[in-house]
Amino acid sequence: MPRTTSGSATEQAYRHVKRHVLDGSLPGGTMTSEGEIAEELGVSRTPVREAFLRLEAEGLLRLYPKRGALVVPIAPGEVDDVLDARLLVETHAALGVARLPDSELTALVALLRDLVVAQEAAVADRDVAEYATLDARFHAEIVAAGGNDLLTAFHTSLRERQQRMVAHSVRWNESRAATFVAGHRALVDALEARDTRTYKRRIQRHLDDARTGL
């Protein structure tokens, strides 16, 4: 399929639909259509069709001729796979974070605490999409700081799935969001203390809480 530029109608439609799938605005099991998206964006159906094909290739949509597109639900097996991968990657990243110079660790901790504050505001505003985005960034910052480029690249490939699952989880039981935010605060405390054993226990508990919610 030809590459599209960022400003093209196809790219616009692709980003629009993908954003709504990932933030839970189009939850799993929802049907949408080329005509519906084209009308929302003020474009023709052709670029929307091309965007749908890209999203189908990524496993986010399932296309049904003359009926529309189904947002593929999150499968139980996908939840386990992603959370298991997160545990391995993020536990290893903490080892790298613990070896950071004091100045770099201080800067990382400050950034993570700012993200936690922003998460609290998103929860207070009942902004599930914003919370999901902040959650994904929180974990991504820790992995990037771990200093392993291969694991960072792998983790990046998981971020969209993480974002979608977090949005689904918090929407399903919004009261759990406060528990997740408290878990993030505990993770930052362990990183600040360079306590990788405590971090490992807390990330395990944090991901177990997510697994239960999902």
Side-chain angles (χ1 to χ4, degrees):
M1 183 181 299
R3 284 182 68 87
T4 57
T5 63
S6 60
S8 71
T10 297
E11 188 71 16
Q12 180 187 13
Y14 168 78
R15 290 177 184 239
H16 175 82
V17 177
K18 188 170 189 175
R19 180 174 67 253
H20 287 303
V21 171
L22 295 181
D23 69 18
S25 300
L26 281 173
T30 299
M31 290 290 293
T32 187
S33 68
E34 295 173 8
E36 180 181 342
I37 301 301
E39 184 176 352
E40 287 180 12
L41 298 178
V43 300
S44 70
R45 294 192 179 199
T46 299
V48 177
R49 185 177 307 117
E50 293 173 354
F52 278 9
L53 289 171
R54 289 174 63 182
L55 293 166
E56 183 180 43
E58 294 180 12
L60 294 176
L61 295 183
R62 187 175 300 132
L63 305 185
Y64 294 92
K66 299 182 180 180
R67 291 178 55 195
L70 172 74
V71 179
V72 177
I74 299 171
E78 180 181 354
V79 170
D80 289 334
D81 289 348
V82 171
L83 293 179
D84 288 346
R86 283 183 60 181
L87 177 61
L88 292 172
V89 173
E90 296 184 37
T91 299
H92 184 83
L95 299 176
V97 171
R99 295 191 292 267
L100 290 175
D102 288 346
S103 59
E104 293 183 25
L105 180 60
T106 298
L108 175 65
V109 167
L111 171 61
L112 295 176
R113 293 202 187 283
D114 285 346
L115 289 173
V116 171
V117 171
Q119 290 168 17
E120 290 175 330
V123 171
D125 292 339
R126 297 180 178 270
D127 190 340
V128 178
E130 177 67 6
Y131 173 78
T133 299
L134 291 166
D135 175 89
R137 185 182 173 195
F138 177 89
H139 291 280
E141 292 288 353
I142 293 172
V143 173
N148 186 309
D149 290 342
L150 290 177
L151 289 181
T152 299
F154 175 56
H155 189 267
T156 298
S157 72
L158 296 171
R159 285 178 64 183
E160 291 177 346
R161 295 188 184 195
Q162 294 170 7
Q163 181 181 343
R164 185 184 182 203
M165 288 191 300
V166 170
H168 170 78
S169 175
V170 177
R171 188 179 300 277
W172 177 75
N173 186 346
E174 196 168 311
S175 65
R176 297 184 61 83
T179 299
F180 294 140
V181 174
H184 288 163
R185 282 198 177 279
L187 291 173
V188 179
D189 290 342
L191 290 175
E192 185 174 32
R194 302 182 190 271
D195 187 347
T196 55
R197 287 188 178 183
T198 297
Y199 180 90
K200 183 176 181 178
R201 289 196 303 270
R202 288 177 177 173
I203 191 65
Q204 176 74 70
R205 185 181 309 136
H206 184 67
L207 295 176
D208 284 346
D209 285 341
R211 195 186 308 268
T212 299
L214 291 167

CSV table of all heavy atoms in Angstrom, one decimal, residues 85-134:
chain,number,residue,atom,x,y,z
A,85,ALA,N,4.6,-9.3,29.5
A,85,ALA,CA,5.8,-8.6,28.9
A,85,ALA,C,6.1,-7.3,29.6
A,85,ALA,O,7.3,-7.0,29.8
A,85,ALA,CB,5.4,-8.3,27.4
A,86,ARG,N,5.1,-6.6,30.1
A,86,ARG,CA,5.4,-5.4,30.8
A,86,ARG,C,6.2,-5.7,32.1
A,86,ARG,O,7.1,-5.0,32.4
A,86,ARG,CB,4.1,-4.7,31.2
A,86,ARG,CG,3.4,-3.9,30.1
A,86,ARG,CD,2.2,-3.2,30.5
A,86,ARG,NE,2.5,-2.3,31.6
A,86,ARG,CZ,1.5,-1.5,32.2
A,86,ARG,NH1,0.3,-1.6,31.9
A,86,ARG,NH2,1.9,-0.7,33.2
A,87,LEU,N,5.8,-6.8,32.8
A,87,LEU,CA,6.5,-7.1,34.0
A,87,LEU,C,8.0,-7.4,33.7
A,87,LEU,O,8.9,-6.8,34.5
A,87,LEU,CB,5.9,-8.4,34.6
A,87,LEU,CG,6.6,-8.9,35.9
A,87,LEU,CD1,6.5,-7.8,37.0
A,87,LEU,CD2,5.9,-10.2,36.4
A,88,LEU,N,8.3,-8.1,32.7
A,88,LEU,CA,9.7,-8.4,32.4
A,88,LEU,C,10.5,-7.1,32.0
A,88,LEU,O,11.6,-6.9,32.5
A,88,LEU,CB,9.8,-9.4,31.3
A,88,LEU,CG,9.3,-10.8,31.6
A,88,LEU,CD1,9.2,-11.7,30.3
A,88,LEU,CD2,10.2,-11.5,32.6
A,89,VAL,N,9.9,-6.4,31.1
A,89,VAL,CA,10.6,-5.2,30.6
A,89,VAL,C,10.8,-4.1,31.7
A,89,VAL,O,11.8,-3.6,31.9
A,89,VAL,CB,9.8,-4.6,29.4
A,89,VAL,CG1,10.4,-3.2,29.0
A,89,VAL,CG2,9.9,-5.6,28.2
A,90,GLU,N,9.7,-3.9,32.5
A,90,GLU,CA,9.8,-2.8,33.4
A,90,GLU,C,10.6,-3.1,34.7
A,90,GLU,O,11.2,-2.3,35.3
A,90,GLU,CB,8.4,-2.3,33.8
A,90,GLU,CG,7.6,-1.7,32.6
A,90,GLU,CD,6.3,-1.2,32.9
A,90,GLU,OE1,6.1,-0.6,34.0
A,90,GLU,OE2,5.4,-1.3,32.0
A,91,THR,N,10.6,-4.4,35.0
A,91,THR,CA,11.5,-4.8,36.1
A,91,THR,C,12.9,-4.7,35.7
A,91,THR,O,13.8,-4.2,36.5
A,91,THR,CB,11.2,-6.3,36.5
A,91,THR,OG1,9.8,-6.4,37.0
A,91,THR,CG2,12.1,-6.8,37.6
A,92,HIS,N,13.3,-5.1,34.5
A,92,HIS,CA,14.6,-4.9,34.0
A,92,HIS,C,15.0,-3.4,33.9
A,92,HIS,O,16.1,-3.0,34.3
A,92,HIS,CB,14.8,-5.6,32.7
A,92,HIS,CG,16.2,-5.6,32.2
A,92,HIS,ND1,17.2,-6.5,32.6
A,92,HIS,CD2,16.8,-4.7,31.3
A,92,HIS,CE1,18.3,-6.2,32.0
A,92,HIS,NE2,18.1,-5.1,31.2
A,93,ALA,N,14.1,-2.6,33.5
A,93,ALA,CA,14.4,-1.2,33.3
A,93,ALA,C,14.7,-0.6,34.7
A,93,ALA,O,15.6,0.3,34.8
A,93,ALA,CB,13.2,-0.5,32.7
A,94,ALA,N,14.1,-1.0,35.8
A,94,ALA,CA,14.4,-0.5,37.1
A,94,ALA,C,15.8,-0.7,37.5
A,94,ALA,O,16.4,0.2,38.2
A,94,ALA,CB,13.4,-1.1,38.1
A,95,LEU,N,16.4,-1.8,37.0
A,95,LEU,CA,17.8,-2.0,37.3
A,95,LEU,C,18.7,-0.9,36.7
A,95,LEU,O,19.7,-0.5,37.3
A,95,LEU,CB,18.3,-3.4,36.8
A,95,LEU,CG,17.5,-4.6,37.4
A,95,LEU,CD1,18.0,-5.9,36.7
A,95,LEU,CD2,17.8,-4.7,38.9
A,96,GLY,N,18.3,-0.5,35.5
A,96,GLY,CA,19.1,0.5,34.8
A,96,GLY,C,18.9,1.9,35.5
A,96,GLY,O,19.8,2.7,35.6
A,97,VAL,N,17.6,2.1,35.9
A,97,VAL,CA,17.3,3.4,36.6
A,97,VAL,C,18.1,3.5,37.9
A,97,VAL,O,18.6,4.6,38.2
A,97,VAL,CB,15.8,3.5,36.9
A,97,VAL,CG1,15.5,4.7,37.8
A,97,VAL,CG2,15.0,3.6,35.5
A,98,ALA,N,18.3,2.4,38.6
A,98,ALA,CA,19.0,2.4,39.9
A,98,ALA,C,20.4,2.8,39.7
A,98,ALA,O,21.1,3.2,40.7
A,98,ALA,CB,18.9,1.0,40.5
A,99,ARG,N,21.0,2.6,38.5
A,99,ARG,CA,22.4,2.9,38.2
A,99,ARG,C,22.6,4.4,37.7
A,99,ARG,O,23.7,4.8,37.4
A,99,ARG,CB,23.0,1.9,37.2
A,99,ARG,CG,23.0,0.5,37.8
A,99,ARG,CD,23.9,-0.4,36.9
A,99,ARG,NE,23.2,-0.6,35.6
A,99,ARG,CZ,22.4,-1.7,35.3
A,99,ARG,NH1,22.2,-2.6,36.3
A,99,ARG,NH2,21.9,-1.8,34.2
A,100,LEU,N,21.5,5.1,37.5
A,100,LEU,CA,21.6,6.5,37.0
A,100,LEU,C,22.4,7.4,37.9
A,100,LEU,O,22.3,7.2,39.2
A,100,LEU,CB,20.2,7.1,36.8
A,100,LEU,CG,19.4,6.5,35.6
A,100,LEU,CD1,18.0,7.1,35.6
A,100,LEU,CD2,20.0,6.7,34.3
A,101,PRO,N,23.1,8.3,37.4
A,101,PRO,CA,23.7,9.4,38.2
A,101,PRO,C,22.6,10.1,39.0
A,101,PRO,O,21.5,10.2,38.6
A,101,PRO,CB,24.4,10.3,37.2
A,101,PRO,CG,24.6,9.5,36.0
A,101,PRO,CD,23.4,8.5,36.0
A,102,ASP,N,23.0,10.7,40.2
A,102,ASP,CA,22.0,11.4,41.0
A,102,ASP,C,21.2,12.4,40.3
A,102,ASP,O,20.0,12.5,40.4
A,102,ASP,CB,22.7,12.0,42.2
A,102,ASP,CG,23.2,11.0,43.2
A,102,ASP,OD1,22.8,9.8,43.1
A,102,ASP,OD2,24.1,11.4,44.1
A,103,SER,N,21.9,13.2,39.4
A,103,SER,CA,21.1,14.3,38.7
A,103,SER,C,20.1,13.7,37.8
A,103,SER,O,19.0,14.3,37.7
A,103,SER,CB,22.1,15.2,38.0
A,103,SER,OG,22.8,14.4,37.0
A,104,GLU,N,20.4,12.7,37.1
A,104,GLU,CA,19.5,12.1,36.1
A,104,GLU,C,18.3,11.4,36.9
A,104,GLU,O,17.1,11.5,36.4
A,104,GLU,CB,20.2,11.1,35.2
A,104,GLU,CG,21.2,11.7,34.3
A,104,GLU,CD,21.8,10.7,33.3
A,104,GLU,OE1,21.2,9.6,33.1
A,104,GLU,OE2,22.9,11.0,32.9
A,105,LEU,N,18.6,10.7,38.0
A,105,LEU,CA,17.5,10.1,38.8
A,105,LEU,C,16.6,11.2,39.3
A,105,LEU,O,15.4,11.0,39.3
A,105,LEU,CB,18.1,9.3,39.9
A,105,LEU,CG,17.1,8.5,40.8
A,105,LEU,CD1,16.2,7.6,39.9
A,105,LEU,CD2,17.8,7.8,41.9
A,106,THR,N,17.2,12.2,39.8
A,106,THR,CA,16.4,13.3,40.4
A,106,THR,C,15.4,13.9,39.3
A,106,THR,O,14.2,14.2,39.6
A,106,THR,CB,17.3,14.4,41.0
A,106,THR,OG1,18.0,13.9,42.0
A,106,THR,CG2,16.4,15.6,41.5
A,107,ALA,N,15.9,14.1,38.1
A,107,ALA,CA,15.1,14.7,37.0
A,107,ALA,C,14.0,13.7,36.7
A,107,ALA,O,12.9,14.1,36.4
A,107,ALA,CB,16.0,15.0,35.8
A,108,LEU,N,14.3,12.4,36.6
A,108,LEU,CA,13.3,11.4,36.3
A,108,LEU,C,12.2,11.3,37.3
A,108,LEU,O,11.0,11.3,37.0
A,108,LEU,CB,14.0,10.0,36.1
A,108,LEU,CG,13.0,8.8,35.9
A,108,LEU,CD1,12.3,9.0,34.6
A,108,LEU,CD2,13.7,7.5,36.0
A,109,VAL,N,12.6,11.3,38.6
A,109,VAL,CA,11.6,11.3,39.7
A,109,VAL,C,10.7,12.5,39.6
A,109,VAL,O,9.5,12.4,39.8
A,109,VAL,CB,12.4,11.2,41.0
A,109,VAL,CG1,11.4,11.4,42.2
A,109,VAL,CG2,13.0,9.8,41.2
A,110,ALA,N,11.3,13.7,39.4
A,110,ALA,CA,10.5,14.9,39.3
A,110,ALA,C,9.4,14.8,38.1
A,110,ALA,O,8.3,15.1,38.3
A,110,ALA,CB,11.4,16.1,39.1
A,111,LEU,N,9.9,14.2,37.0
A,111,LEU,CA,9.0,14.1,35.9
A,111,LEU,C,7.9,13.1,36.2
A,111,LEU,O,6.7,13.3,35.9
A,111,LEU,CB,9.8,13.6,34.6
A,111,LEU,CG,8.9,13.1,33.4
A,111,LEU,CD1,8.1,14.3,32.9
A,111,LEU,CD2,9.9,12.6,32.3
A,112,LEU,N,8.2,12.0,36.8
A,112,LEU,CA,7.2,10.9,37.1
A,112,LEU,C,6.2,11.5,38.1
A,112,LEU,O,5.0,11.2,38.1
A,112,LEU,CB,7.9,9.7,37.7
A,112,LEU,CG,8.8,8.9,36.7
A,112,LEU,CD1,9.5,7.8,37.4
A,112,LEU,CD2,8.0,8.4,35.5
A,113,ARG,N,6.7,12.3,39.1
A,113,ARG,CA,5.8,12.8,40.1
A,113,ARG,C,4.8,13.8,39.4
A,113,ARG,O,3.6,13.9,39.8
A,113,ARG,CB,6.5,13.5,41.3
A,113,ARG,CG,7.3,12.4,42.1
A,113,ARG,CD,7.6,13.0,43.5
A,113,ARG,NE,8.5,12.1,44.3
A,113,ARG,CZ,8.1,11.0,44.8
A,113,ARG,NH1,6.8,10.6,44.8
A,113,ARG,NH2,8.9,10.2,45.5
A,114,ASP,N,5.3,14.6,38.5
A,114,ASP,CA,4.4,15.5,37.8
A,114,ASP,C,3.4,14.7,37.0
A,114,ASP,O,2.2,15.1,36.9
A,114,ASP,CB,5.3,16.3,36.8
A,114,ASP,CG,6.0,17.4,37.5
A,114,ASP,OD1,5.8,17.7,38.7
A,114,ASP,OD2,7.0,18.0,36.8
A,115,LEU,N,3.8,13.6,36.4
A,115,LEU,CA,2.8,12.8,35.7
A,115,LEU,C,1.7,12.2,36.6
A,115,LEU,O,0.6,12.1,36.2
A,115,LEU,CB,3.5,11.6,34.9
A,115,LEU,CG,4.4,12.1,33.7
A,115,LEU,CD1,5.2,10.9,33.2
A,115,LEU,CD2,3.5,12.6,32.6
A,116,VAL,N,2.2,11.8,37.8
A,116,VAL,CA,1.2,11.3,38.8
A,116,VAL,C,0.2,12.4,39.2
A,116,VAL,O,-1.0,12.1,39.3
A,116,VAL,CB,1.9,10.7,40.0
A,116,VAL,CG1,0.9,10.4,41.1
A,116,VAL,CG2,2.7,9.5,39.7
A,117,VAL,N,0.7,13.6,39.4
A,117,VAL,CA,-0.2,14.7,39.7
A,117,VAL,C,-1.2,14.9,38.6
A,117,VAL,O,-2.4,15.1,38.8
A,117,VAL,CB,0.6,16.0,40.0
A,117,VAL,CG1,-0.4,17.2,40.1
A,117,VAL,CG2,1.4,15.8,41.3
A,118,ALA,N,-0.7,14.9,37.4
A,118,ALA,CA,-1.6,15.0,36.2
A,118,ALA,C,-2.6,13.9,36.1
A,118,ALA,O,-3.8,14.1,35.7
A,118,ALA,CB,-0.8,15.1,34.9
A,119,GLN,N,-2.2,12.7,36.5
A,119,GLN,CA,-3.1,11.6,36.5
A,119,GLN,C,-4.2,11.8,37.5
A,119,GLN,O,-5.4,11.5,37.3
A,119,GLN,CB,-2.4,10.3,36.8
A,119,GLN,CG,-1.5,9.8,35.7
A,119,GLN,CD,-0.5,8.7,36.2
A,119,GLN,OE1,-0.8,8.1,37.2
A,119,GLN,NE2,0.5,8.4,35.5
A,120,GLU,N,-3.9,12.3,38.7
A,120,GLU,CA,-4.9,12.6,39.7
A,120,GLU,C,-5.9,13.6,39.2
A,120,GLU,O,-7.1,13.4,39.5
A,120,GLU,CB,-4.2,13.1,41.0
A,120,GLU,CG,-3.4,12.0,41.7
A,120,GLU,CD,-2.6,12.6,42.9
A,120,GLU,OE1,-2.2,13.8,42.8
A,120,GLU,OE2,-2.4,11.8,43.9
A,121,ALA,N,-5.4,14.6,38.5
A,121,ALA,CA,-6.3,15.6,37.9
A,121,ALA,C,-7.3,15.0,36.9
A,121,ALA,O,-8.5,15.3,36.8
A,121,ALA,CB,-5.5,16.7,37.3
A,122,ALA,N,-6.7,14.1,36.1
A,122,ALA,CA,-7.5,13.4,35.0
A,122,ALA,C,-8.6,12.5,35.7
A,122,ALA,O,-9.8,12.5,35.2
A,122,ALA,CB,-6.6,12.6,34.1
A,123,VAL,N,-8.2,11.8,36.8
A,123,VAL,CA,-9.2,11.0,37.5
A,123,VAL,C,-10.3,11.9,38.1
A,123,VAL,O,-11.5,11.6,38.0
A,123,VAL,CB,-8.5,10.1,38.5
A,123,VAL,CG1,-9.6,9.5,39.4
A,123,VAL,CG2,-7.6,9.1,37.9
A,124,ALA,N,-9.9,13.0,38.7
A,124,ALA,CA,-10.9,13.9,39.3
A,124,ALA,C,-11.8,14.5,38.2
A,124,ALA,O,-13.0,14.7,38.5
A,124,ALA,CB,-10.2,15.1,40.0
A,125,ASP,N,-11.3,14.7,37.0
A,125,ASP,CA,-12.2,15.2,35.9
A,125,ASP,C,-12.9,14.1,35.2
A,125,ASP,O,-13.6,14.4,34.3
A,125,ASP,CB,-11.3,16.0,34.9
A,125,ASP,CG,-10.7,17.3,35.5
A,125,ASP,OD1,-11.3,17.8,36.5
A,125,ASP,OD2,-9.7,17.7,35.0
A,126,ARG,N,-12.7,12.9,35.6
A,126,ARG,CA,-13.3,11.7,35.0
A,126,ARG,C,-12.9,11.6,33.5
A,126,ARG,O,-13.7,11.2,32.6
A,126,ARG,CB,-14.8,11.7,35.1
A,126,ARG,CG,-15.3,11.6,36.5
A,126,ARG,CD,-16.8,11.6,36.7
A,126,ARG,NE,-17.3,11.5,38.0
A,126,ARG,CZ,-17.5,10.3,38.6
A,126,ARG,NH1,-17.4,9.2,37.9
A,126,ARG,NH2,-17.9,10.2,39.9
A,127,ASP,N,-11.7,12.1,33.2
A,127,ASP,CA,-11.2,12.1,31.8
A,127,ASP,C,-10.4,10.8,31.6
A,127,ASP,O,-9.2,10.8,31.8
A,127,ASP,CB,-10.3,13.3,31.6
A,127,ASP,CG,-9.9,13.5,30.1
A,127,ASP,OD1,-10.0,12.5,29.4
A,127,ASP,OD2,-9.6,14.6,29.8
A,128,VAL,N,-11.1,9.7,31.2
A,128,VAL,CA,-10.5,8.4,31.1
A,128,VAL,C,-9.4,8.4,30.0
A,128,VAL,O,-8.4,7.8,30.2
A,128,VAL,CB,-11.6,7.3,30.8
A,128,VAL,CG1,-10.9,6.0,30.7
A,128,VAL,CG2,-12.6,7.3,32.0
A,129,ALA,N,-9.7,9.1,28.9
A,129,ALA,CA,-8.8,9.1,27.8
A,129,ALA,C,-7.4,9.7,28.2
A,129,ALA,O,-6.4,9.2,27.9
A,129,ALA,CB,-9.4,9.8,26.6
A,130,GLU,N,-7.5,10.9,28.9
A,130,GLU,CA,-6.3,11.6,29.3
A,130,GLU,C,-5.5,10.7,30.3
A,130,GLU,O,-4.3,10.6,30.3
A,130,GLU,CB,-6.7,12.9,29.9
A,130,GLU,CG,-5.5,13.7,30.5
A,130,GLU,CD,-4.5,14.2,29.5
A,130,GLU,OE1,-4.8,14.0,28.2
A,130,GLU,OE2,-3.5,14.7,29.8
A,131,TYR,N,-6.3,10.1,31.2
A,131,TYR,CA,-5.6,9.2,32.2
A,131,TYR,C,-4.8,8.1,31.5
A,131,TYR,O,-3.7,7.8,31.8
A,131,TYR,CB,-6.6,8.6,33.2
A,131,TYR,CG,-5.9,7.6,34.1
A,131,TYR,CD1,-5.1,8.0,35.1
A,131,TYR,CD2,-6.0,6.2,33.8
A,131,TYR,CE1,-4.4,7.1,35.9
A,131,TYR,CE2,-5.3,5.3,34.5
A,131,TYR,CZ,-4.5,5.7,35.6
A,131,TYR,OH,-3.8,4.8,36.3
A,132,ALA,N,-5.5,7.5,30.5
A,132,ALA,CA,-4.8,6.4,29.8
A,132,ALA,C,-3.6,6.8,29.1
A,132,ALA,O,-2.6,6.1,29.1
A,132,ALA,CB,-5.8,5.8,28.8
A,133,THR,N,-3.6,8.0,28.5
A,133,THR,CA,-2.4,8.5,27.8
A,133,THR,C,-1.3,8.8,28.8
A,133,THR,O,-0.1,8.5,28.6
A,133,THR,CB,-2.8,9.8,27.1
A,133,THR,OG1,-3.8,9.6,26.1
A,133,THR,CG2,-1.5,10.4,26.4
A,134,LEU,N,-1.6,9.4,30.0
A,134,LEU,CA,-0.7,9.7,31.0
A,134,LEU,C,-0.1,8.4,31.6
A,134,LEU,O,1.1,8.3,32.0
A,134,LEU,CB,-1.3,10.5,32.1
A,134,LEU,CG,-1.7,11.9,31.8
A,134,LEU,CD1,-2.6,12.5,32.8
A,134,LEU,CD2,-0.4,12.8,31.6
